[in-house]
Amino acid sequence: MCDVVKDLKSDLFYEKVNGLKKDTVDFGTVDAFCKGYIDFLGKAKTERLATKEAIALAEAAGFREFSEDEKYVAGDKIYFNNRNKSLGLVVIGSEPVEKGVRIAAAHIDSPRIDLKPNPLYEDKELALFKTHYYGGIKKYQWTAIPLALHGVFCKKDGTTVEVAIGEEPDEPVFVITDLLPHLAQEQVKRPASELIRGEELNVLIGSMPFKADEGSELVKLNIMKILNEKYGIVEEDFLSAELECVPAGKPRDVGFDRSLIGSYGHDDRVCAYPCLMASFAVTAPKFTTVSILADKEETGSDGNTGMQSAFLQYLIEDLARMQGGNGYRALRNSKCLSADVNAAFDPTYPDVMEKRNASEINYGAVITKYTGSRGKGGTSDASAEFVGWIRKILNERNVTWQTGELGKVDLGGGGTVAKYIANLGVDVVDLGVPVLSMHAPFEVVSKFDVYMTYLAIKALFEAE
Ligand code: MN
Ligand code: MN
């Protein structure tokens, strides 16, 4: 190629570069950051546990729970706990809140298998739980894998008892059984969406009968006796419980080169952790920083712990009013990164992606200008001006980033919390980590992309 063409191309063409081919960051730094993430992710198996773990980390980093009686000044670190399932972390800036805040919003709920209100039954002398899956899953992926059980019983005496069983090596696990191939001739003819049906997601929890000469449901009775001894509950207490089955076990390095992390629940704790760490990294921000860890994204962001609730709006109103300002002005002037994952290009399934606009592993944090589906339906579609500003602050700080769309036009699509924040008058765009096998019991991300997402959120918090 002649030099003129080469020079012109390098001047004029946009070229994506694999971040690991550049020497912008030492992989040791990336790996050290991800060790913290792996530790967090291994504990944050549900929205409640993610909140609990985030609060513990925040308190260790000097954050204190918000109090209406306090007067906060620049540099103060506060957290807002929304019903133990969603969290806001604030670092007060030197500028008035009315001048706008910098928001990073991720979600901490992940697809899983919830227990029904009346879950426990016995059939053919086996004890099982009836379930109702949560979020978008391929149901067949959730059979024949070890499951842990997490959640709470709110007992009739008003006390709450936490349940956590199946994560430690010496603890039992649970499992949704599947048919053996020998007897699955009819099952495998079902379409994949029905290969396992919702009402077939029954969790096996025991088989030992209570020793008695007569009586029915003795296996169930024995299970209730164990639960009563361990948690002090009776069967009616299931009616006021939230119990979630999630894949058992800890995150693991993936690959000979250990460049990837495999785990349950990357979506979206892989963005929640960078939000947390960016909040901890800012000390004296000009603009007040807010990290929101939301619940219920996987089911549409409804409910009082989801992003469609007034939690964020009122949090900002509280901060503005404390300074004698107005929340709506603060929101109007605010900037937000909706930190959520996107689908990484998978070479085994190239047909669903449009190559020029798909995010790729190790190409950094992925900016998703719009989500939605079928003609951008249901997206907030970030403005060119705001994307331009984000692009500038990322480039100035050497943050490796790329753009992505969720699959081919009219094929894929999806949503994040971005539009609910945009509806408050905030400038917002999606930015996050590309994921392989999204919503599977074992999702995969690249360590480099996780670290770049952290740097991107930190850039939002620090930029003037
Ligand atoms: Mn997500
Ligand atoms: Mn998701």
Side-chain angles (χ1 to χ4, degrees):
M1 192 164 30
C2 77
D3 285 350
V4 182
V5 171
K6 205 173 161 188
D7 288 351
L8 255 184
K9 278 190 170 174
S10 121
D11 284 350
L12 298 179
F13 281 12
Y14 165 60
E15 199 193 351
K16 258 173 97 171
V17 181
N18 183 316
L20 292 180
K21 288 183 184 163
K22 301 190 288 186
D23 50 3
T24 47
V25 62
D26 167 48
F27 195 76
T29 308
V30 171
D31 207 36
F33 181 85
C34 287
K35 281 206 164 63
Y37 170 53
I38 286 169
D39 186 53
F40 171 79
L41 185 59
K43 294 172 185 160
K45 303 284 293 250
T46 66
E47 71 288 8
R48 284 178 188 271
L49 292 171
T51 302
K52 191 177 177 181
E53 189 58 21
I55 289 176
L57 292 173
E59 287 185 341
F63 285 72
R64 296 289 168 260
E65 187 157 20
F66 174 74
S67 157
E68 285 176 17
D69 306 325
E70 290 272 336
K71 191 94 179 110
Y72 295 102
V73 297
D76 280 352
K77 300 171 173 192
I78 320 160
Y79 70 84
F80 294 69
N81 176 357
N82 185 5
R83 296 171 171 81
N84 300 318
K85 295 195 260 188
S86 155
L87 190 69
L89 294 157
V90 174
V91 182
I92 304 288
S94 53
E95 288 286 323
V97 168
E98 264 198 4
K99 291 270 169 77
V101 304
R102 300 290 167 81
I103 305 163
H107 67 92
I108 47 175
D109 61 316
S110 297
R112 58 176 193 254
I113 311 286
D114 285 350
L115 299 200
K116 289 192 182 189
N118 188 17
L120 177 60
Y121 70 104
E122 176 175 335
D123 198 350
K124 289 301 280 181
E125 294 175 280
L126 296 175
L128 300 112
F129 280 146
K130 288 302 294 179
T131 70
H132 195 142
Y133 66 97
Y134 174 96
I137 60 168
K138 292 162 102 174
K139 299 180 198 78
Y140 65 83
Q141 293 180 332
W142 294 72
T143 64
I145 59 167
L147 298 171
L149 183 69
H150 293 282
V152 292
F153 283 106
C154 295
K155 299 195 279 187
K156 62 181 169 191
D157 64 3
T159 60
T160 296
V161 56
E162 278 185 46
V163 176
I165 185 160
E167 300 293 355
E168 301 306 324
D170 60 341
E171 288 177 348
V173 293
F174 311 97
V175 66
I176 296 166
T177 55
D178 195 359
L179 265 181
L180 60 166
H182 320 61
L183 292 177
Q185 286 93 336
E186 292 305 315
Q187 184 199 31
V188 296
K189 286 181 197 158
R190 299 179 188 174
S193 60
E194 280 183 47
L195 188 59
I196 302 292
R197 297 186 177 123
E199 292 293 353
E200 291 169 346
L201 293 171
N202 302 320
V203 182
L204 181 62
I205 56 164
S207 71
M208 190 181 288
F210 180 78
K211 279 204 174 48
D213 292 338
E214 55 186 66
S216 62
E217 297 189 292
L218 295 177
V219 177
K220 172 177 164 177
L221 180 63
N222 194 48
I223 294 284
M224 266 321 304
K225 195 166 163 288
I226 292 167
L227 292 176
N228 181 262
E229 282 162 10
K230 193 167 166 64
Y231 302 111
I233 61 136
V234 296
E235 190 181 11
E236 195 182 333
D237 290 318
F238 277 103
L239 303 181
S240 53
E242 282 177 3
L243 295 162
E244 307 173 2
C245 291
V246 298
K250 303 286 183 199
R252 307 281 298 263
D253 281 356
V254 170
F256 288 113
D257 56 14
R258 294 178 171 258
S259 59
L260 307 159
I261 309 166
S263 176
Y264 165 68
H266 280 310
D267 176 12
D268 185 35
R269 294 156 198 151
V270 73
C271 298
Y273 185 76
C275 289
L276 269 180
M277 291 302 117
S279 274
F280 298 167
V282 291
T283 44
K286 183 171 175 187
F287 298 100
T288 295
T289 69
V290 180
S291 276
I292 292 286
L293 308 186
D295 180 29
K296 294 284 182 285
E297 194 277 342
E298 297 295 355
T299 52
S301 296
D302 297 288
N304 58 12
T305 54
M307 269 322 298
Q308 294 204 61
S309 78
F311 177 56
L312 171 64
Q313 183 184 345
Y314 289 164
L315 181 159
I316 288 174
E317 282 185 13
D318 272 336
L319 296 175
R321 198 178 310 116
M322 176 186 79
Q323 299 176 342
N326 273 305
Y328 72 88
R329 286 201 191 110
L331 286 163
R332 181 194 286 156
N333 293 323
S334 292
K335 294 178 165 66
C336 173
L337 285 175
S338 161
D340 206 345
V341 299
N342 199 332
F345 188 88
D346 185 336
T348 305
Y349 301 100
D351 294 349
V352 299
M353 293 293 190
E354 191 269 284
K355 276 189 180 176
R356 306 176 60 81
N357 287 284
S359 63
E360 294 169 82
I361 292 288
N362 287 329
Y363 280 71
V366 49
I367 289 181
T368 308
K369 187 173 179 295
Y370 49 85
T371 55
S373 56
R374 277 151 280 278
K376 295 191 179 181
T379 181
S380 60
D381 205 344
S383 71
E385 290 85 345
F386 185 57
V387 176
W389 184 79
I390 292 288
R391 176 183 158 206
K392 182 169 170 287
I393 66 166
L394 298 186
N395 288 346
E396 281 169 357
R397 287 164 180 75
N398 252 336
V399 182
T400 305
W401 62 279
Q402 57 181 327
T403 59
E405 250 194 292
L406 209 144
K408 278 183 176 166
V409 175
D410 288 343
L411 183 66
T416 66
V417 300
K419 63 176 172 179
Y420 308 117
I421 298 169
N423 289 348
L424 297 173
V426 175
D427 268 318
V428 53
V429 69
D430 277 298
L431 178 144
V433 178
V435 180
L436 291 167
S437 305
M438 195 196 294
H439 286 201
F442 194 76
E443 305 173 310
V444 177
V445 299
S446 117
K447 291 179 178 177
F448 177 80
D449 298 335
V450 178
Y451 189 65
M452 286 301 139
T453 298
Y454 160 69
L455 291 186
I457 295 164
K458 195 161 159 279
L460 171 78
F461 286 172
E462 290 173 350
E464 297 204 347

